[in-house]
């Protein structure tokens, strides 16, 4: 079923066209009311129209109302002109009741499949091989997964891409180092892990800078690797596999699926990219390197900044892979929208890649949407970039496991009678949810302070608060011992204002999701769910459920709450519990 906002927009647009045929197509502005006592929605278009027509806004509002089509299913209960010419809109209860039934019976909660199905790439996580994922990658992973889940739920064709940094000159020196110091690892005879790899990486870097002979050997390895020499390729594979294993551990804990298509994937497309750009005449040689100068982007010295497509030594830098990737995604993967979830520090890089792709003729921004979705830093209690006590960058796996352990302690205290097994299961969900929710509920572009204590609280805008609200609603249903299935088709009657307010919020789920597809701010969804829990609590305070004549109707309202909450949390990447 259409979300009320969409339906209202249609109706008002239609009314405007009929009332003022000379004005052609008019964009109407409808918003959710800020105060429910005035109505559910409001139309703000009369003022603007009045300016255009040099007329009185209240008279215009009156004309609009006169032309609203009221045939068909009951939808609008009341229209009222207020202030300078706002139209306050109140929806019919019967419309809300009908929508609630859909939420309960339709597996897609009454939300229509998209009129225009899109192919969307959400590129997220993207750590760098031979290095640990850091908190920045964690933010990307959590936000990207949420956006991908959202597009999947709404019915878009969604590709979850992990653009890992698995190629480049740094691997040459690492392979050279490992060949000399840990040859058995490279042949696969000996196993190791990512922390060791990182240590060797650091040591190889030191040696590279200090020892010219080693430097030469490292550079030779790069050449071997780039020409696909089998021994070098095997070594590179081994290094990638060790890193991948560590990343997978984190993805498993977070229950996140990704398709790896890293920098190396675009290797075969780099040479053709250079040829194509040369044919198009957009490359210039600068200091021996092949560059695409991007108009509109200037450095501090006032000169136009370039994307470097090929270095003077023949190597292909970061800019080149991203140009090859955007071209591949548009031409081969035929996407409608590409979303890059990468920290705010890379903003300039992406704006230049997008513009560069336009200059090259790969990207037509009227047809394809490309967006860099930046996010802020994670801060420690000291307000500085998040670190462990020893000053090292925190290992993500430790951070996740600590959250689970702390959740376990809290659960132990709350209910000592829980069996070990049950507690562990719940602690896992609670700990991981707390981390995800704390991240998603902050405004994406801002920095936020990491605090186990705060994220695991049961009050306020937290995962625990929502999970617990869900458990409470589930508990009510359980206690009354009526099979929802058997009363599903009974009437829902909204009588108390708290019921109407809750119902109105429920039918706005689609509007909240649509908003997130536009501005890609997950906190809009966390806010929506937090408000849903609050509205549910108000309803439960004001309306008795058990043993009243309204019992079954109210139970169905509870059912709509649990279904919406479960789905909403699922989009955030949070699984619900039946008991807590
Ligand atoms: N590997 C990069 C990093 O850790 C992130 C990759 C971002 N995506 C891209 N298409 N450049 O900083």
């Amino acid at each position: 079923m259409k979300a009320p906002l969409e339906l209202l927009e249609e109706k008002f647009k239609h009314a405007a066209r009929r009332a003022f045929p000379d004005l052609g197509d008019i964009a109407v502005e409808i918003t959710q009311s800020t105060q429910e006592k005035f109505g559910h929605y409001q139309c703000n278009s009369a003022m603007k129209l009045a300016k255009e027509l040099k007329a009185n806004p209240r008279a215009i509002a009156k004309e609009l109302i006169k032309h609203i089509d009221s045939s068909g299913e009951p939808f609008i209960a009341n229209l009222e002109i207020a202030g300078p010419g706002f139209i306050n809109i109140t929806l019919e209860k019967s419309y809300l009741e009908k929508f609630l039934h859909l939420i309960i019976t339709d597996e897609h909660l009454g939300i229509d499949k998209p009129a225009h199905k899109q192919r969307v790439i959400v590129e997220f996580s993207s750590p760098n091989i031979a290095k640990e994922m850091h908190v920045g990658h964690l933010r990307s992973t959590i936000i990207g997964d949420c956006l991908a889940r959202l597009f999947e739920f709404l019915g878009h064709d969604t590709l979850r891409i992990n653009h890992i940094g698995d190629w480049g000159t740094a691997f040459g020196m690492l392979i050279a180092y490992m060949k000399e110091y840990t040859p058995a690892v490279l042949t696969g005879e000996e196993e190791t892990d990512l922390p060791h790899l990182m240590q060797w990486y650091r040591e190889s870097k030191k040696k590279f800078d200090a020892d010219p002979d080693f430097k030469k050997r490292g550079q030779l390895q790069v050449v071997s690797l780039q020409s696909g020499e089998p021994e070098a390729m095997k070594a590179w594979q081994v290094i990638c596999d060790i890193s991948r294993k560590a990343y997978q551990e984190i993805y498993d804990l977070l229950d996140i699926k990704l398709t790896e298509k890293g920098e190396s994937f675009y290797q075969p497309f780099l040479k053709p990219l250079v040829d194509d750009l040369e044919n198009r005449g957009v490359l210039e040689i600068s200091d021996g390197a092949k560059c695409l100068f991007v108009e509109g982007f200037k450095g501090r010295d006032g000169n136009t900044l370039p994307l470097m497509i090929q270095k003077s030594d023949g190597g292909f830098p970061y800019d080149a892979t991203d140009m090859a990737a955007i071209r591949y995604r548009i031409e081969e993967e035929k996407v409608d929208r590409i979303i890059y979830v990468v920290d705010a520090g890379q903003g300039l890089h992406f704006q230049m890649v997008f513009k560069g792709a336009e200059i090259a003729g790969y990207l037509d921004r009227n047809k394809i949407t490309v967006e860099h979705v930046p996010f802020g830093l994670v801060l420690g209690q000291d307000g500085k970039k998040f670190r462990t006590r020893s000053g090292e960058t925190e290992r993500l796996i430790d951070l996740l496991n600590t959250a689970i352990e702390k959740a376990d302690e809290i659960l132990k205290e709350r209910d000592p009678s829980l069996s070990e097994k049950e507690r562990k299961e719940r602690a896992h969900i609670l700990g991981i949810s707390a981390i995800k929710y704390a991240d998603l509920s902050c405004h994406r572009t801002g920095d936020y302070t990491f605090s186990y204590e705060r994220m695991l609280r049961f009050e306020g805008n937290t995962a625990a608060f929502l999970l617990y609200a869900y458990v409470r609603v589930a508990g009510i249903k359980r206690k009354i011992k009526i099979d929802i299935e058997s009363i599903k088709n009974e009437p829902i009657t909204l009588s108390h204002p708290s019921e109407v307010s809750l119902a109105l919020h429920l039918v706005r789920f689609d509007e909240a999701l649509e908003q997130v597809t536009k501005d890609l701010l997950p906190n809009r969804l966390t806010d929506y769910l937090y408000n849903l829990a609050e509205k549910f609590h108000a309803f439960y305070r004001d309306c008795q459920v058990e043993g009243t004549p309204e019992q079954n109707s109210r139970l169905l309202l509870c059912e709509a709450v649990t279904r919406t909450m479960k789905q909403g949390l699922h989009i955030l990447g949070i699984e619900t519990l039946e008991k807590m």
Side-chain angles (χ1 to χ4, degrees):
M1 204 150 127
K2 273 190 186 141
L5 187 60
E6 202 187 340
L7 255 178
L8 285 170
E9 275 164 1
E10 266 178 33
K11 282 209 184 275
F12 273 80
K13 218 172 155 171
H14 192 67
R17 212 182 299 131
R18 293 205 308 166
F20 312 104
D22 296 344
L23 291 184
D25 243 352
I26 298 166
V28 295
E29 190 195 307
I30 313 251
T31 55
Q32 295 182 357
S33 290
T34 41
Q35 288 194 52
E36 258 164 53
K37 62 176 184 237
F38 298 133
H40 302 152
Y41 291 85
Q42 64 184 52
C43 171
N44 313 324
S45 298
M47 279 80 75
K48 219 170 130 201
L49 281 171
K51 246 192 217 144
E52 237 169 281
L53 295 163
K54 300 200 175 42
N56 175 320
R58 290 183 70 100
I60 300 276
K62 219 181 205 161
E63 274 310 294
L64 280 176
I65 292 177
K66 211 169 83 193
H67 286 89
I68 293 282
D69 174 16
S70 55
S71 63
E73 301 258 339
F75 175 49
I76 296 173
N78 190 33
L79 294 170
E80 214 172 66
I81 303 173
F86 297 110
I87 304 173
N88 287 329
I89 307 160
T90 306
L91 303 180
E92 280 285 359
K93 271 188 203 167
S94 63
Y95 165 82
L96 297 177
E97 290 160 0
K98 191 170 156 211
F99 208 129
L100 289 176
H101 263 124
L102 263 183
I103 295 178
I104 296 163
T105 50
D106 176 30
E107 59 171 296
H108 210 245
L109 308 186
I111 296 175
D112 292 336
K113 290 277 169 203
H116 307 282
K117 184 172 172 164
Q118 288 204 315
R119 196 165 164 80
V120 185
I121 285 187
V122 186
E123 188 214 275
F124 64 102
S125 196
S126 312
N128 299 316
I129 294 292
K131 291 191 193 149
E132 296 272 6
M133 248 193 234
H134 55 63
V135 237
H137 296 124
L138 178 70
R139 284 212 75 183
S140 170
T141 307
I142 292 172
I143 295 167
D145 177 59
C146 169
L147 297 177
R149 282 171 187 258
L150 172 68
F151 287 108
E152 283 156 359
F153 173 69
L154 291 175
H156 295 290
D157 189 3
T158 312
L159 293 102
R160 312 163 145 258
I161 302 294
N162 197 358
H163 189 88
I164 62 169
D166 60 351
W167 199 250
T169 45
F171 290 102
M173 80 192 177
L174 179 58
I175 294 173
Y177 181 92
M178 289 173 71
K179 268 193 157 166
E180 285 161 40
Y181 294 89
T182 64
V185 173
L186 287 185
T187 54
E189 285 157 74
E190 203 177 287
E191 286 202 11
T192 190
D193 56 12
L194 188 52
H196 280 95
L197 216 53
M198 272 185 80
Q199 193 190 328
W200 300 332
Y201 185 87
R202 280 194 291 265
E203 283 164 19
S204 70
K205 173 113 186 56
K206 260 192 232 147
K207 212 168 151 58
F208 189 87
D209 293 335
D211 174 350
D213 279 343
F214 178 78
K215 188 169 175 175
K216 205 156 281 157
R217 292 200 289 282
Q219 283 162 341
L220 280 176
Q221 279 304 324
V222 178
V223 177
S224 305
L225 190 60
Q226 296 197 333
S227 61
E229 189 266 309
E231 207 192 14
M233 288 300 282
K234 167 90 184 24
W236 171 73
Q237 275 301 346
V238 168
I239 293 170
C240 288
D241 283 343
I242 296 164
S243 311
R244 224 172 254 141
K245 213 169 126 193
Y247 305 149
Q248 195 54 45
E249 215 182 318
I250 290 169
Y251 299 142
D252 286 346
L253 261 184
L254 293 170
D255 186 24
I256 284 175
K257 307 249 175 320
L258 271 152
T259 305
E260 188 185 310
K261 233 179 230 172
E263 292 178 13
S264 67
F265 177 86
Y266 302 97
Q267 197 62 13
F269 307 107
L270 291 170
K271 188 75 188 66
L273 172 77
V274 173
D275 294 343
D276 187 60
L277 293 175
E278 261 166 359
N279 284 338
R280 290 172 188 258
V282 294
L283 287 192
E284 279 174 49
I285 308 282
S286 172
D287 284 335
K290 292 181 179 166
C291 294
L292 193 168
F293 284 89
V294 190
E295 301 147 45
F297 291 86
K298 290 205 186 335
R300 269 198 217 114
D301 55 8
N303 293 333
T304 301
L305 292 171
L307 286 165
M308 201 194 279
I309 306 296
Q310 191 167 22
K311 294 194 285 190
S312 53
D313 66 3
F316 296 100
Y318 195 53
D319 290 349
T321 347
D322 264 322
M323 283 296 283
I326 199 169
R327 183 184 187 195
Y328 182 85
R329 290 166 181 181
I330 294 169
E331 292 178 359
E332 303 298 321
E333 291 180 307
K334 310 232 178 297
V335 293
D336 300 294
R337 188 171 183 180
I338 315 174
I339 291 168
Y340 296 80
V341 189
V342 185
D343 65 88
Q346 299 194 38
L348 178 64
H349 167 74
F350 285 110
Q351 294 321 316
M352 286 182 64
V353 167
F354 300 162
K355 185 73 197 176
E358 276 187 281
I359 293 172
Y362 302 147
L363 169 65
D364 175 353
R365 289 188 107 160
N366 293 316
K367 296 206 183 98
I368 293 162
T369 313
V370 291
E371 288 149 293
H372 171 220
V373 175
F375 49 82
L377 297 174
V378 183
L379 305 175
Q381 296 292 345
D382 56 3
K384 297 204 190 107
K385 229 172 154 174
F386 190 74
R387 301 270 145 140
T388 51
R389 245 172 290 168
S390 59
E392 298 268 306
T393 310
E394 173 93 25
R395 290 197 68 203
L396 284 192
I397 197 82
D398 297 338
L399 186 135
L400 299 178
N401 282 323
T402 309
I404 296 172
E405 272 161 38
K406 290 197 189 272
D408 191 73
E409 282 161 27
I410 291 171
L411 291 173
K412 201 184 258 173
E413 212 167 282
R414 282 175 75 92
D415 184 0
S417 72
L418 269 183
S419 78
E420 169 102 6
K421 183 170 168 285
E422 260 178 318
R423 203 185 64 233
K424 291 271 178 260
E425 269 172 30
R426 292 180 196 183
H428 178 92
I429 292 187
L430 181 57
I432 295 296
S433 306
I435 298 248
K436 289 186 180 180
Y437 195 88
D439 196 306
L440 297 169
S441 59
C442 292
H443 193 282
R444 173 168 52 69
T445 57
D447 299 342
Y448 76 90
T449 306
F450 190 92
S451 156
Y452 291 114
E453 189 267 324
R454 183 149 18 101
M455 67 175 65
L456 284 163
R457 272 186 208 157
F458 275 68
E459 326 62 52
N461 190 8
T462 65
F465 174 76
L466 284 183
L467 287 171
Y468 190 62
Y470 179 86
V471 167
R472 271 188 78 187
V473 196
I476 296 164
K477 291 194 296 174
R478 213 170 20 242
K479 190 160 155 251
I480 297 180
K481 290 198 181 77
I482 288 180
D483 181 14
I484 295 289
E485 210 44 51
S486 69
I487 59 164
K488 248 184 185 164
N489 295 319
E490 287 187 18
I492 297 176
T493 323
L494 302 168
S495 45
H496 194 281
S498 302
E499 283 181 293
V500 178
S501 175
L502 176 58
L504 181 66
H505 196 66
L506 285 165
V507 307
R508 284 175 172 171
F509 184 46
D510 192 14
E511 286 168 22
L513 298 182
E514 279 303 323
Q515 190 59 42
V516 185
T517 65
K518 294 198 181 104
D519 55 25
L520 308 174
L521 293 174
N523 66 300
R524 298 213 188 260
L525 178 54
T526 59
D527 286 349
Y528 172 88
L529 292 172
Y530 181 64
N531 285 333
L532 177 59
E534 298 260 86
K535 285 185 188 284
F536 168 75
H537 286 136
F539 151 78
Y540 198 57
R541 175 198 63 213
D542 298 338
C543 304
Q544 204 187 326
V545 181
E546 196 174 3
T548 60
E550 296 92 350
Q551 172 180 284
N552 287 5
S553 166
R554 288 181 174 163
L555 260 184
L556 291 177
L557 191 54
C558 289
E559 174 71 5
V561 173
T562 45
R563 288 175 67 101
T564 305
M565 212 174 245
K566 193 183 182 87
Q567 185 58 59
L569 287 168
H570 182 78
I571 292 171
L572 298 175
I574 293 175
E575 288 318 308
T576 46
L577 289 157
E578 291 305 309
K579 286 185 183 165
M580 199 156 128

